Amino acid sequence: MGTTGREVMRITVDTNILISALGWNGPEAAIIEMVLESKIELCLSAQILSEFYRVTQYPKFRFTNEEVDGFIGRLLPVVIFVTPTQKIDVITSDPDDNKIIECAVAGESDYIISSDKHLLELKNYRGISILRASDFLQLLLRI
């Protein structure tokens, strides 16, 4: 199914997808559930994980440490950890977003799932499609 002869599709998700999956029961949570069931593979980097931890501390979210640790604790055993070696600088309006692309390239992901407008405007990078969570789920239903 994947581009490298893999059986399972591989994705990289933006921090906002992880936050949504932790806090709400929407398409993002459905995608993370599929990762936990090993239906798709998830690539993450230390940079994405550290941003996730930082964002979960924002007072507006009101996540407890137990919720955050429980979520990551479930994910870690099934995640493919990558260390991006290539510096990518394609999103100049928000350079912080480049870490998502770096992770996807290093992990040979088929898709980047995000709700970030800078990433979504890119649509595609080196054959990696960039989609909203809801559009990704629609795509999976068609496969």
Side-chain angles (χ1 to χ4, degrees):
M1 180 180 273
T3 49
T4 55
R6 272 185 266 108
E7 292 298 308
V8 181
M9 192 181 293
R10 187 173 287 179
I11 63 170
T12 295
V13 297
D14 196 349
T15 309
N16 53 45
I17 300 297
L18 293 172
I19 295 290
S20 294
L22 169 60
W24 297 272
N25 203 355
E28 299 82 1
I31 290 170
I32 295 302
E33 206 48 51
M34 294 171 82
V35 169
L36 292 170
E37 293 166 1
S38 302
K39 292 181 177 157
I40 48 182
E41 293 177 339
L42 174 62
C43 276
L44 287 181
S45 63
Q47 293 88 337
I48 296 172
L49 214 49
S50 84
E51 183 181 60
F52 169 77
Y53 272 112
R54 191 172 47 76
V55 173
T56 60
Q57 300 306 308
Y58 293 174
K60 67 176 179 180
F61 289 125
R62 295 194 176 113
F63 294 131
T64 66
N65 288 340
E66 289 75 23
E67 287 170 320
V68 174
D69 291 345
F71 179 76
I72 292 299
R74 287 175 64 212
L75 262 185
L76 285 183
V78 295
V79 164
I80 295 162
F81 257 104
V82 297
T83 305
T85 50
Q86 219 174 2
K87 198 80 190 114
I88 295 170
D89 192 21
V90 351
I91 300 177
T92 49
S93 49
D94 189 359
D96 212 29
D97 290 338
N98 288 308
K99 71 173 162 290
I100 306 298
I101 298 170
E102 291 167 358
C103 177
V105 167
E108 300 179 346
S109 292
D110 303 301
Y111 295 92
I112 292 172
I113 315 301
S114 177
S115 53
D116 182 283
K117 71 178 172 75
H118 302 111
L119 285 166
L120 291 166
E121 281 167 2
L122 198 58
K123 289 188 175 52
N124 195 303
Y125 183 79
R126 291 195 204 165
I128 303 168
S129 298
I130 303 168
L131 297 172
R132 291 184 177 282
S134 52
D135 295 334
F136 179 69
L137 287 177
Q138 288 298 317
L139 175 97
L140 288 181
L141 290 172
R142 290 196 297 270
I143 295 178

